[in-house]
Amino acid sequence: MSQESQLTTALAEAATTAGHAPSVHNTQPWRWRVLPDALELHTATDRQLLAGDPEGRLLAISCGAALHHARVALAAEGWRTVVRRLPDPGDPGLLARLSDLTPTEPDPDAMRLVQCMSVRHTDRRPVSDEPVPTDAIGEITRAVTAEGSRLQILDRDQVLELAAAAGHAGSVEAEDPELRAELAYWTSRADTGTGLPANVLPAEPTQTTVPSRDFGRPGSLPVGPGHDHAAVYALLHGDEDERDSWLRAGEALSAAWLTATRLGVSAVPLSAVVEVEGTRQTLRQVLAGIGFPYLVLRLGIADPAHAGPPHTPRLAGEQVVDTSAVRGGRP
Ligand SMILES: Cc1cc2nc3c(=O)[nH]c(=O)nc-3n(C[C@H](O)[C@H](O)[C@H](O)COP(=O)(O)O)c2cc1C
């Protein structure tokens, strides 16, 4: 294979691997374009949550997670790359360009994280009573810092503030007919490879201190009697509240979640508190003004006695990876 086709194959494969990334309501709001010497990440605004995420905050975080997946996939295959975020002010839909690829040694840490990509999933059941090891929290926190964001572990009082804010955000969203309709749409289209199927959503509301998202309909995932007593709640945050920082927050989310998966820790994002303006401000106060909140994460050890939820479906590679600009490109 010529070096050019090796490169474009690696780029197309990295973009396809990035399809494992988590995204809000499994919208997968990204589109990749493989070029002869670069890979571009574009927004798929037709899969943006217009009611729940009009500013595109969660869209950018989701795309950032996919960007991190692609970066790690390239490093695992032995490619060093330069990433330019929001490289063209005239094209706001172009979120990132990965270019200047040079061959290098495959990175063993990246190889381990690639293995975690196909294992990682959202388990919305209450966590078990087993505490999350302090070392694991330290590693997850460092993974976030390495991506330019920060993770604040919430103390008991802050968790109670979060619980009140999450409850309030849930009621605000439940009363909004447009949000309800949007949620109904994304929880009833899993046969299209996007959205949330019933078997990943709890069959009944979980009895937890911090209310989890009400998806507006019961799923079919058995939840058991567990609580969130042993859960650790953390706030992903950073210095700015701009698209560039949301994108980086998504990269940090991916780094944290893949690290958590490697360490046997389950993670669930809670984003309703960030979607509602008022509760987002409450989170800012929780941070005592040291940053802007991007996402709440619940960390815990999943119930080992029962099978967790199945994997959420994904769009096929050719639906999100455009290889038309390269001859012989895949997929
Ligand atoms: C930005 C973002 C926000 C999310 N918000 C929530 C949430 O509020 N509640 C929830 O249960 N899951 C949330 N998720 C998890 C997604 O629903 C999940 O990643 C997606 O359905 C794909 O499933 P998987 O993670 O099992 O692969 C969020 C994910 C992302 C990236």
Side-chain angles (χ1 to χ4, degrees), residues 60 128 150 159 176 223 237 290 320:
S128 72
R150 293 189 294 269
V159 170
D176 185 324
V223 290
H237 67 103
I290 58 160
V320 283

Side-chain angles (χ1 to χ4, degrees), residues 20-26 58 61-62 65 120-122 124 195-196 213 215 253 257 268-272 275 295 310-312 314:
H20 288 297
S23 58
V24 63
H25 298 356
N26 197 26
L58 299 176
I61 295 177
S62 303
R120 185 213 56 79
H121 65 290
T122 308
R124 298 178 179 83
L196 296 153
R213 186 190 281 277
F215 283 93
L253 170 68
W257 206 339
V268 178
L270 302 178
S271 56
E275 289 155 27
L295 205 60
H311 283 278
T312 307
R314 289 294 191 273

Side-chain angles (χ1 to χ4, degrees), residues 2 6 26 40 88 107-108 158 164 189 196 199 220 222 226 247 321:
S2 72
Q6 259 181 10
N26 197 26
E40 287 184 349
D88 182 355
D107 176 344
Q158 291 170 326
R189 50 182 294 101
L196 296 153
N199 57 9
S220 58
L247 193 62
V321 185

